[in-house]
Amino acid sequence: MAEIVLRAAVLDAGLADRVRVSSSGTGNWHIGGGANPPARRVLEANGFPSEHVAHQVSRAELPTIDLVLAADRSHLDFLKRLDSGAAERIVLLRAFDPDADHDEVPDPYGGPDTEFVEVLEMIRAAAPGVIAEIRRRLTSARPQSVPSRSAAQ
């Protein structure tokens, strides 16, 4: 759900030509499978596409990712162990929601659609902060120009 919502936010922010959004799980349970049926229903009911193919994150791909968003502390810890050099690039998603009442996105898997709706709202609330962080990182990654000085006499 986060991949789809954040991809839409990146597109709305005009950053789609500079930012790629993808999703990976920490386990291999659903590799190659589609999104959970309740997730698809909730996404579609809220105007989002629901196409998704599950993928497991690998140690090799982490160094290629500029910002890694973890849903909860167990994911955060797993990702930091997988790539200890990426600690500053791995952040809890809800850290970008200034009004969040806690820092984790619960896993609604197996729960009712209402839990998926709550998770969707958490992701949506964090999206503006994620976009601001992406913009900040893109700006700081740009080569800085040195002001030219003329010696007019």
Side-chain angles (χ1 to χ4, degrees), residues 67-83:
L67 178 61
V68 180
L69 301 173
D72 63 34
R73 292 196 171 279
S74 69
H75 296 154
L76 183 78
D77 293 342
F78 173 85
L79 292 163
K80 286 182 176 181
R81 283 192 312 274
L82 200 60
D83 185 355

Side-chain angles (χ1 to χ4, degrees), residues 4 6 19 28 35 65 87 89 115 120 138 152:
I4 291 165
L6 293 174
V19 176
N28 64 359
I65 303 170
R89 294 183 289 112
E115 290 179 13
L120 176 65
L138 287 171

Side-chain angles (χ1 to χ4, degrees), residues 30-126:
H30 305 289
I31 293 174
N36 189 297
R40 285 197 317 263
R41 284 193 298 272
V42 169
L43 286 165
E44 290 169 1
N46 285 275
F48 292 99
S50 63
E51 296 80 28
H52 173 74
V53 177
H55 165 78
Q56 183 180 8
V57 67
S58 71
R59 182 181 312 274
E61 71 187 305
L62 274 178
T64 70
I65 303 170
D66 297 317
L67 178 61
V68 180
L69 301 173
D72 63 34
R73 292 196 171 279
S74 69
H75 296 154
L76 183 78
D77 293 342
F78 173 85
L79 292 163
K80 286 182 176 181
R81 283 192 312 274
L82 200 60
D83 185 355
S84 60
E88 75 285 346
R89 294 183 289 112
I90 304 170
V91 184
L92 285 167
L93 173 63
R94 293 207 73 201
F96 296 102
D97 176 2
D99 298 322
D101 55 354
H102 55 87
D103 62 1
E104 296 184 306
V105 176
D107 185 355
Y109 188 82
D113 287 11
T114 54
E115 290 179 13
F116 286 82
V117 170
E118 290 172 8
V119 166
L120 176 65
E121 291 311 312
M122 290 176 189
I123 297 165
R124 285 175 129 169

